[in-house]
Amino acid sequence: MPTWLSDLPIEREQVLVPVYVVAAVLVLVLITPRPGAGWRLRTRAGVLAAGAGVGAVIGWLAVYVVVDVQDLFGAPASDVIRAAATAGGAGIGLAVVNLFRSRWWRKVVAVIAIPACIAAAGVMINRDVAYYPRFGDVFGDTGVKTLAIDPDGAGSHSLKGWSPPADMPTTGQVGTRTIPGTVSGWKGRDAWIYLPPAALVKNPPKLPVVVAFSGEPGGPSDVFLAGGLQTQLDALAAHHKGIAPIVVVPDQLGSYSANPMCVNSKLGNVATYVTVDVRDWILQNLPVSTNRLSWTAAGFSEGATCAVQFVTQYHAIFGSAIAVSPELGPLNGSVAHTIKVGFHGSRKDYLAAQPIAIMKRIKHYPATSVAFSVGADDKRYGADAGLLAAEARKVGIEVHLKVLEGLGHNWNTGAAGLAYGLDALTGWWKLP
């Protein structure tokens, strides 16, 4: 794909407006009351209206089935998504009708209008959920390559008193690496990793590390592409002598729409993968501190649920967490299905794995901090962060909680919540 095409910022007005205008103009041309061969004007108007109506219903039904019935994305569709699908379907239906018993030029316009309507609806939905920032991202052409690392360049200096060298870069670097499931047997997609400027010099300091997780459906790239995390981390590093946490985003899902729930089960030993394989790989390859106070679990949606699971159950590893729109606990479809696929049919094990149950069982968490956030308009998970935060306070966890006004449950919330979490934990990491 040409670079100019791959780099098109499809969430911005300079791309959105032309797409909308082109689609609208094509639709207006197709509505123009000029009868084709064999059509009377009144008959044609009725047929066009019927085609648009059928298309609109199909577009609306598509969202209803995928989002409301199948619950593929684990969150309700916004009014914008429903309107975009309905309008796009109407435009496609109108174009299809114009393919029959019409002049050749109208057929040509109709053929062009179909992908134009799909594109207009697609970019409108994408803008609403804030998922793909560039056109190339839609097709996996992210421009991100395998990250070069120096395992022998492990951090040897403490953050206190560290001075950046003159040749330190001004921004960090993002790349991918394979983290094998040596102990767990888990096979995930490549992890996405951010190294701050201070990690890109000789003899770097021992840095804090954030192990972050995407939502479901999704993948490791989401945290950077949709969450805008590199920009946030570079800004943080710019105010702290090039120092920011190293961020490692392993694949806790296995595929785009899988959900093994960050536990060990017949779906995969994800908990072991994260706490053993990923942790060991980080310690062996990256300049990070071994102190639990420097280890943070983070995520959005299902990834936030994972983060809360890890900081509560594996508190000897993780001293803090950033949880944006978490659920109360691991869930894959219905509770019955969750128990079947994730807990070997044991309701007792399922209940014991809920973070609130874990906190009640452990009772006290010294030196632990969690930054919770949730969209004010999140109708499904809006209450969960508050419930988790309240229980966390009872067991001695330092809690930060922010309700993000005007946001629901999408990557607009994810980006804002991650930014809030980084800000809330900056003091915790004791960045210079």
Side-chain angles (χ1 to χ4, degrees):
M1 182 181 297
T3 301
W4 67 267
L5 183 59
S6 179
D7 288 342
L8 278 179
I10 56 176
E11 289 183 339
R12 297 184 182 178
E13 282 74 12
Q14 62 261 40
V15 173
L16 293 173
V17 173
V19 172
Y20 296 155
V21 169
V22 169
V25 169
L26 291 171
V27 168
L28 287 173
V29 170
L30 295 177
I31 296 174
T32 301
R34 295 186 63 182
W39 289 105
R40 291 185 177 182
L41 184 58
R42 183 176 297 180
T43 302
R44 180 173 186 78
V47 172
L48 291 177
V54 170
V57 170
I58 292 174
W60 186 90
L61 282 175
V63 174
Y64 175 75
V65 171
V66 172
V67 178
D68 298 330
V69 177
Q70 297 181 346
D71 198 22
L72 183 61
F73 299 99
S78 68
D79 292 340
V80 172
I81 292 174
R82 296 184 194 277
T86 302
I92 293 170
L94 183 69
V96 169
V97 170
N98 273 276
L99 292 173
F100 302 95
R101 301 178 70 179
S102 61
R103 293 184 175 90
W104 68 268
W105 62 266
R106 193 180 285 273
K107 288 183 172 67
V108 171
V109 173
V111 169
I112 298 173
I114 291 174
C117 288
I118 293 173
V123 295
M124 183 177 290
I125 292 172
N126 182 67
R127 172 66 179 270
D128 185 64
V129 300
Y131 196 64
Y132 295 115
R134 300 161 55 256
F135 184 68
D137 299 334
V138 179
F139 302 96
D141 185 9
T142 63
V144 175
K145 300 179 180 179
T146 301
L147 185 69
I149 58 174
D150 179 13
D152 296 327
S156 56
H157 307 284
S158 67
L159 292 181
K160 187 177 181 180
W162 184 79
S163 296
D167 62 348
M168 185 183 72
T170 57
T171 59
Q173 184 177 357
V174 172
T176 63
R177 294 288 295 205
T178 299
I179 301 181
T182 306
V183 176
S184 64
W186 176 252
K187 294 181 180 180
R189 293 161 291 181
D190 285 354
W192 279 50
I193 300 169
Y194 168 83
L195 298 180
L200 300 174
V201 301
K202 292 182 179 180
N203 301 315
K206 295 179 180 180
L207 296 166
V209 59
V210 174
V211 181
F213 308 99
S214 71
E216 182 274 320
S221 63
D222 295 355
V223 176
F224 291 97
L225 300 182
L229 196 57
Q230 182 175 6
T231 300
Q232 299 170 16
L233 291 164
D234 281 345
L236 182 64
H239 289 88
H240 296 277
K241 299 181 180 180
I243 292 175
I246 287 175
V247 177
V248 178
V249 189
D251 180 21
Q252 89 281 12
L253 300 175
S255 66
Y256 180 74
S257 58
N259 180 16
M261 300 176 287
C262 286
V263 298
N264 291 334
S265 71
K266 66 180 182 180
L267 298 178
N269 297 320
V270 179
T272 298
Y273 177 64
V274 172
T275 59
V276 178
D277 293 323
V278 172
R279 175 177 166 78
D280 287 349
W281 187 91
I282 291 172
L283 291 172
Q284 292 166 12
N285 291 278
L286 301 175
V288 300
S289 170
T290 58
N291 191 326
R292 65 174 289 275
L293 299 181
S294 297
W295 283 67
T296 301
F300 166 63
S301 192
E302 193 272 348
T305 309
C306 290
V308 177
Q309 290 172 237
F310 286 123
V311 78
T312 54
Q313 185 168 355
Y314 299 94
H315 54 93
I317 296 175
F318 296 101
S320 58
I322 298 172
V324 187
S325 304
E327 299 174 69
L328 287 177
L331 191 67
N332 184 323
S334 66
V335 171
H337 184 259
T338 299
I339 293 172
K340 178 181 178 181
V341 301
F343 298 93
H344 309 287
S346 171
R347 183 174 182 83
K348 179 181 178 181
D349 290 347
Y350 162 75
L351 293 174
Q354 304 303 302
I356 288 179
I358 295 170
M359 287 188 277
K360 288 182 177 179
R361 188 165 62 246
I362 294 177
K363 296 181 180 179
H364 183 58
Y365 287 78
T368 302
S369 181
V370 180
F372 293 99
S373 57
V374 65
D377 299 332
D378 189 338
K379 299 176 182 178
R380 181 174 298 188
Y381 307 111
D384 292 357
L387 293 172
L388 289 166
E391 194 62 38
R393 289 192 181 97
K394 293 179 183 178
V395 294
I397 294 175
E398 176 186 279
V399 170
H400 306 266
L401 175 62
K402 185 172 185 178
V403 177
L404 304 166
E405 295 299 328
L407 296 178
H409 192 90
N410 54 47
W411 271 105
N412 288 302
T413 310
L418 289 172
Y420 166 72
L422 290 176
D423 183 64
L425 293 183
T426 296
W428 178 264
W429 294 314
K430 293 181 169 49
L431 304 186

